[in-house]
Amino acid sequence: MITQDNYTEQNRPFFSVVICTYNRARILPRALSSLLDQEFKDFEVLLVDDGSDDDTYFIYKEFRNKLLIRYLYHNHKGLPLSRNLGISSSIGKYITFLDSDDSYESNHLKTRYELLAAHPEVDLLYGGVRVVGNPFVPDINNPNEMILIEKCIVGGTFFFKKELSRKLNGFKNLKYGDDTDFFLRAREIGANILKTKINTYIYIRDQEDSICNTQNIEKK
């Protein structure tokens, strides 16, 4: 297996897909199966387990012979620090996310590869989300107002260079809004940002324990 110790510019994957999860063994196979279905295959997967006490590790074992996947475990650090662990362990040219209760269309990575290959100057690509379920969430800045998810900064849609994360010192350990904060800090330092409207990230709101269904914030 390619690791941080033995990769080269010639064998490093184009994408590192970071999946942060906690007690989602029941629905995690849906996310991982959508990776198996990708038309573009040059990627690794980093499954960051934030202290699950369910069958998450056994789901990893089920998929480890089907995907280039690594399992990382730490105990109740929260989403931002779980993201940072995945980023620091990644070897891909670009880093992206897949929330454990979401999935990708089969052409998701292919379309992003085509965009990034055509625009190598881009530091951060985002956008392109299709919502399954209620398309509205409370505004993170004003919980009394409802806004469309497509108008939010959805961290799951991010594709960025590892160098950008280093410049920003990763995601801040915020209770909510870590992806919006990351985006705003990237913009402040003059990062080259591109938005896409190719809606291939499937944002699924059918789980009662989804963050957006239990908190007055945009979903992470």
Side-chain angles (χ1 to χ4, degrees), residues 9-205:
E9 286 302 313
Q10 287 70 41
N11 69 9
R12 72 187 299 198
F14 196 82
F15 294 125
S16 292
V17 181
V18 177
I19 302 178
C20 301
T21 191
Y22 172 68
N23 284 344
R24 289 286 180 83
R26 179 172 56 86
I27 57 175
L28 183 58
R30 178 175 61 188
L32 292 172
S33 293
S34 76
L35 291 173
L36 288 176
D37 292 338
Q38 289 304 296
E39 298 170 13
F40 183 82
K41 302 294 187 181
D42 189 11
F43 64 91
E44 65 165 348
V45 183
L46 297 103
L47 181 62
V48 183
D49 185 347
D50 192 23
S52 298
D53 56 11
D54 62 359
D55 291 333
T56 293
Y57 181 74
F58 296 99
I59 300 300
Y60 155 73
K61 289 179 65 176
E62 178 183 339
F63 280 86
R64 66 181 177 183
N65 293 324
K66 304 174 186 178
L67 292 166
L68 180 61
I69 185 170
R70 284 182 279 153
Y71 177 84
L72 307 172
Y73 182 93
H74 63 185
N75 197 24
H76 301 313
K77 302 292 186 181
L79 179 60
L81 297 185
S82 294
R83 283 176 166 169
N84 288 342
L85 175 59
I87 292 168
S88 65
S89 303
S90 68
I91 59 175
K93 185 174 181 181
Y94 293 91
I95 298 161
T96 188
F97 301 112
L98 174 57
D99 288 352
S100 56
D101 55 346
D102 292 339
S103 63
Y104 290 165
E105 297 283 6
S106 62
N107 64 339
H108 181 66
L109 294 181
K110 179 182 178 181
T111 59
R112 273 44 176 193
Y113 167 76
E114 291 171 346
L115 283 169
L116 292 168
H119 300 281
E121 73 281 3
V122 168
D123 300 305
L124 171 61
L125 172 66
Y126 77 106
V129 60
R130 177 169 68 86
V131 181
V132 176
N134 184 358
F136 291 93
V137 291
D139 189 337
I140 192 171
N141 297 311
N142 184 358
N144 294 318
E145 293 187 6
M146 303 297 288
I147 59 173
L148 287 169
I149 291 171
E150 64 185 34
K151 294 184 177 180
C152 298
I153 302 298
V154 179
T157 68
F158 287 1
F159 287 78
F160 55 88
K161 297 175 179 176
K162 194 168 185 176
E163 292 78 9
L164 176 62
S165 180
R166 290 194 185 105
K167 290 179 182 178
L168 298 176
N169 293 316
F171 286 80
K172 289 186 178 179
N173 191 22
L174 304 175
K175 187 174 182 180
Y176 309 125
D178 59 293
D179 44 8
T180 299
D181 172 80
F182 185 95
F183 177 88
L184 294 176
R185 288 188 290 123
R187 190 169 64 183
E188 287 173 1
I189 67 170
N192 196 318
I193 300 175
L194 177 66
K195 182 177 182 179
T196 179
K197 294 184 179 180
I198 304 173
N199 297 334
T200 54
Y201 185 95
I202 308 174
Y203 187 119
I204 302 173
R205 299 194 62 200

